[in-house]
Amino acid sequence: MADTRVSQGLAATGVGTIDCAQHNMKLPNGIGDLQKGKRYTSMDYLFFSTLGRQCVDVLNVSYDIACQWHKHLWQCMSTMPAHLQLNHASKLVQFFVPKCHLPAHISKCQSMFSFNFSKNVGHMDGEAPERGWSNINPIASSTKEMGPGS
């Protein structure tokens, strides 16, 4: 929807979520609007605002564009307020592309970001956020009416 004529004038052009893939649940502060042209800013904010409440030593991050998103993530984090910053050096952080999205990526991404080639992730598929859309889609029409100019 972000690149269509229908999105012109909208405050939000999509919805992003941060989920616990093991428990298939949305995390607190883990649902937010995405804005056209903001690139990764909204997802960065959602990601770090959910992690502020988590006490984990190992973080397995699954995102359909993790191969691109992770490149500047820590640099972007350094520009955020202190309460959103994560001491990532003291944690094991691994980035993955969900299994159903992986075939659309180049070979290098398929090997570097695959759950299949990584230890300690079990038979995880990383598709938890995708499974939740059928339940969250009804919310879209209610938030659309809350935007500026509605």
Side-chain angles (χ1 to χ4, degrees):
M1 185 163 125
D3 294 325
T4 66
R5 246 186 270 154
V6 178
S7 69
Q8 290 180 346
L10 294 179
T13 56
V15 176
T17 66
I18 307 294
D19 298 56
C20 172
Q22 182 176 1
H23 299 99
N24 202 26
M25 296 180 69
K26 307 284 181 236
L27 294 177
N29 297 329
I31 300 175
D33 289 332
L34 304 176
Q35 293 83 30
K36 181 178 179 179
K38 296 290 185 180
R39 300 199 37 99
Y40 306 127
T41 307
S42 299
M43 285 306 295
D44 294 350
Y45 183 82
L46 286 172
F47 181 71
F48 291 116
S49 62
T50 59
L51 290 179
R53 301 172 189 266
Q54 307 298 319
C55 298
V56 295
D57 294 325
V58 178
L59 190 59
N60 294 312
V61 181
S62 175
Y63 186 19
D64 56 349
I65 55 169
C67 53
Q68 294 297 315
W69 180 66
H70 87 287
K71 290 179 181 179
H72 302 288
L73 184 63
W74 307 124
Q75 179 184 347
C76 292
M77 179 192 70
S78 68
T79 66
M80 295 190 173
H83 72 280
L84 295 177
Q85 295 192 22
L86 173 72
N87 182 4
H88 61 92
S90 67
K91 301 180 183 317
L92 172 61
V93 182
Q94 299 180 96
F95 293 92
F96 300 97
V97 172
K99 287 185 179 182
C100 290
H101 289 83
L102 202 55
H105 289 251
I106 61 173
S107 298
K108 183 178 178 182
C109 291
Q110 291 179 14
S111 59
M112 289 180 62
F113 297 95
S114 175
F115 282 93
N116 294 337
F117 303 131
S118 299
K119 293 181 178 182
N120 304 316
V121 293
H123 291 286
M124 184 76 61
D125 65 2
E127 296 287 348
E130 303 299 332
R131 286 190 286 275
W133 288 123
S134 64
N135 296 325
I136 204 169
N137 277 339
I139 294 172
S141 60
S142 67
T143 60
K144 186 190 231 183
E145 295 172 8
M146 291 184 225
S150 55

